[in-house]
Amino acid sequence: MGFWTKLKEQRHSLTSTTLTAIVLRVSLVVGITAGLTYWHLSHEIEKTSLTTLEKYVRERSLREREIFKLARDNHYALRSELIEVFRKLEKSNEDPVAEFGSLVHREPDGALRSPHSKPGVKKELDIWVAKNANNDALFRRKVVAFSKILLRYAPAFHVRFTDTYIALSENANLVYWPEFPDWSAGTPANFDYSSYELYQIGKKQNNPERKTQWSGVYFDDAIRKWMVSASTPFDDSRGFFAGVIGHDVMIDDLISRTTNEGLPGTYNILISGNGRLIAHPQKMDRIVAAKGLLSVDNAQDPQLVDIFNEIKRSFRENTAEKIINQGEYDQFLAVSYIPETDWYFVTVSPKSLIRQTANSAAIFIILVGIGSLLLDIALLYLIFRRKVAEPLEQFIRATESIAKGEDEIVLPVERKDEIGRLSRSFAFMAKKIRETRKS
């Protein structure tokens, strides 16, 4: 019973009540501080994360654009010489029948093709001419001259590009593709290049600015690679369409980087401006099955459709990098435009990443605050116990001794503070009481 009485007294002691009041107030301050810190950290971490995202997609798009810009520059350099030579050919009356005959021969199906490659003999240039092509003197002059130009430029281009070709409006194609020197053997004699996408996007009605255009993504079964092709038109002296210069660009590495490399917790996708899905980490099997023609609408993914629609809305006015807040999916979209191919490089970042970072920081601050609070309480307890509680207990014992008529009392009279002054006054009072009792 004495223990519980003492415990009850401790609960109502000056030290306990004072410390309780301090703990409640400090806890309130710690709670408010933690809340404000969490809000501030969330805001700052979000701002920093979005800046990092924007910088990331900008740098990624610049990296991926290099090959497309290089293709354009190659084409413009080659076109410049083709046009210059073409102007001279149009004025010439020469008919290089013999030289033309050394480049191609008529095969049983009616097409003109380069001689097939032979073991041990390196063949770099392959030529195909449809059986119904207008094989006149100007055409023969173009094939001979353009073949020489192609052999000067294409080997240097081949360091970065699969092939280089010149498709002529007469329905003929000159191709530099050392790895597939007999490409023409597989091309039907009546193949119509005018229906080919790269030929069509070179026509003036489809490309009035006469700039480099890009095909859609396709899978080349012959070499088992993902490809995209560049096409740059050139015209004759009268301004009529004369043909296109082309590069085939392998983009397997680009697709692999898109699907496999990214910021922690995020994922990347590549979408064309017309809604074709080029790369997506969860949908590559379907993209392959569709031969690169899988559209966002056919992907059976409402979230993907919303992402594409949000991108198209956001890029109506300008094409700078953008951060799009998709609140309905609790995520941010960082988007960069690749103008050469009309593609969008997109990084999807869940907002939970930011919350996790903010939560970790807030929890750390709260734990540090609680630890500091407990340490302060322990120190305050020791201080109160030594400086206040123990002297008061001495006063209580002294009072009890006087009440019992005892002469000996122990008080901290040596202290210089208020407790010391009170002790000296109490000791003086006790002395007077003893004197009174004796008298």
Side-chain angles (χ1 to χ4, degrees):
M1 191 67 178
F3 170 78
W4 292 109
T5 302
K6 187 173 183 180
L7 181 62
K8 189 174 180 180
E9 289 176 353
Q10 286 287 339
R11 286 177 54 195
H12 296 288
S13 67
L14 179 61
T15 301
S16 296
T17 55
T18 303
L19 285 177
T20 300
I22 291 173
V23 168
L24 291 175
R25 286 163 176 77
V26 173
S27 298
L28 180 62
V29 171
V30 169
I32 293 172
T33 302
L36 291 174
T37 301
Y38 178 79
W39 176 84
H40 177 72
L41 281 174
S42 297
H43 180 73
E44 290 300 314
I45 290 171
E46 179 178 309
K47 187 164 67 172
T48 302
S49 299
L50 296 183
T51 300
T52 301
L53 273 176
E54 188 173 355
K55 181 180 178 183
Y56 172 74
V57 296
R58 182 188 304 116
E59 291 176 350
R60 282 295 298 267
S61 67
L62 287 175
R63 175 187 181 185
E64 309 304 355
R65 285 180 64 184
E66 286 305 313
I67 190 70
F68 305 123
K69 291 166 68 177
L70 181 59
R72 180 196 61 198
D73 294 342
N74 288 350
H75 284 196
Y76 287 172
L78 180 54
R79 181 171 67 176
S80 178
E81 182 161 353
L82 285 179
I83 291 174
E84 182 180 349
V85 171
F86 196 4
R87 298 294 181 266
K88 297 176 182 178
L89 296 176
E90 290 178 306
K91 298 175 183 178
S92 173
N93 293 320
E94 182 187 359
D95 189 354
V97 176
E99 196 170 359
F100 180 79
S102 69
L103 294 174
V104 295
H105 66 274
R106 184 136 344 238
E107 296 198 335
D109 63 358
L112 292 171
R113 294 185 178 88
S114 297
H116 293 187
S117 59
K118 299 177 182 179
V121 179
K122 185 178 181 181
K123 178 186 176 184
E124 294 182 323
L125 183 66
D126 197 18
I127 302 173
W128 172 91
V129 182
K131 66 178 181 179
N132 60 350
N134 182 19
N135 186 1
D136 59 13
L138 176 59
F139 174 73
R140 288 190 286 274
R141 289 197 296 272
K142 286 195 291 185
V143 170
V144 170
F146 290 175
S147 295
K148 294 175 181 178
I149 294 172
L150 191 59
L151 285 174
R152 285 208 312 272
Y153 280 83
F157 295 164
H158 193 61
V159 175
R160 296 292 303 274
F161 297 96
T162 304
D163 57 18
T164 304
Y165 54 86
I166 302 172
L168 300 175
S169 59
E170 291 87 352
N171 204 14
N173 203 2
L174 290 65
V175 180
Y176 179 90
W177 194 355
E179 290 78 14
F180 287 86
D182 295 320
W183 163 88
S184 62
T187 305
N190 59 353
F191 183 78
D192 184 9
Y193 257 101
S194 66
S195 62
Y196 199 47
E197 181 184 10
L198 287 175
Y199 189 95
Q200 286 293 325
I201 61 179
K203 290 187 173 182
K204 274 198 170 181
Q205 62 266 34
N206 300 324
N207 187 357
E209 298 176 351
R210 317 312 284 151
K211 62 183 182 179
T212 302
Q213 301 275 22
W214 291 86
S215 73
V217 176
Y218 59 93
F219 189 76
D220 192 306
D221 291 312
I223 61 173
R224 307 299 299 170
K225 298 287 186 181
W226 285 103
M227 312 275 283
V228 63
S229 299
S231 171
T232 303
F234 62 96
D235 304 323
D236 62 19
S237 59
R238 298 168 297 169
F240 292 124
F241 174 64
V244 297
I245 302 163
H247 272 328
D248 291 329
V249 182
M250 288 185 290
I251 58 170
D252 289 72
D253 290 342
L254 186 154
I255 290 175
S256 177
R257 286 194 299 270
T258 301
T259 56
N260 298 319
E261 297 178 10
L263 298 173
T266 69
Y267 67 92
N268 304 317
I269 57 179
L270 205 57
I271 307 175
S272 69
N274 62 3
R276 284 186 186 176
L277 196 58
I278 299 166
H280 191 295
Q282 285 86 45
K283 302 186 186 298
M284 286 311 302
D285 289 343
R286 295 192 59 189
I287 294 172
V288 172
K291 301 289 185 181
L293 300 177
L294 180 64
S295 69
V296 169
D297 291 332
N298 294 331
Q300 299 176 338
D301 187 338
Q303 182 177 350
L304 191 58
V305 172
D306 289 343
I307 287 175
F308 179 68
N309 291 336
E310 197 72 56
I311 290 171
K312 296 299 284 186
R313 279 194 296 270
S314 299
F315 278 79
R316 282 175 183 168
E317 296 182 359
N318 64 74
T319 57
E321 292 79 19
K322 288 181 174 62
I323 299 294
I324 301 171
N325 186 351
Q326 267 203 315
E328 63 271 33
Y329 295 108
D330 200 33
Q331 64 189 16
F332 289 107
L333 306 176
V335 188
S336 185
Y337 182 59
I338 302 176
E340 289 79 10
T341 52
D342 189 30
W343 293 351
Y344 296 98
F345 183 88
V346 186
T347 296
V348 182
S349 177
K351 292 183 180 179
S352 58
L353 288 176
I354 297 174
R355 286 197 294 267
Q356 287 173 4
T357 305
N359 287 342
S360 298
I363 290 171
F364 174 77
I365 290 172
I366 290 172
L367 291 177
V368 169
I370 291 173
S372 299
L373 177 61
L374 293 175
L375 180 61
D376 288 343
I377 291 171
L379 292 174
L380 285 172
Y381 177 80
L382 293 175
I383 293 170
F384 267 93
R385 182 70 187 168
R386 182 179 175 185
K387 297 292 186 179
V388 178
E390 290 181 358
L392 289 177
E393 289 177 358
Q394 287 180 309
F395 280 111
I396 292 170
R397 288 194 294 272
T399 304
E400 291 173 348
S401 297
I402 293 172
K404 294 176 182 178
E406 297 175 356
D407 292 336
E408 293 297 327
I409 60 172
V410 178
L411 292 172
V413 294
E414 72 284 356
R415 288 177 55 164
K416 306 298 182 181
D417 56 10
E418 290 82 352
I419 295 292
R421 289 169 55 194
L422 180 60
S423 298
R424 289 189 290 273
S425 298
F426 195 95
F428 180 75
M429 180 189 70
K431 179 181 177 183
K432 291 296 183 182
I433 291 172
R434 285 197 300 273
E435 292 175 351
T436 301
R437 282 177 178 173
K438 290 179 181 179
S439 60

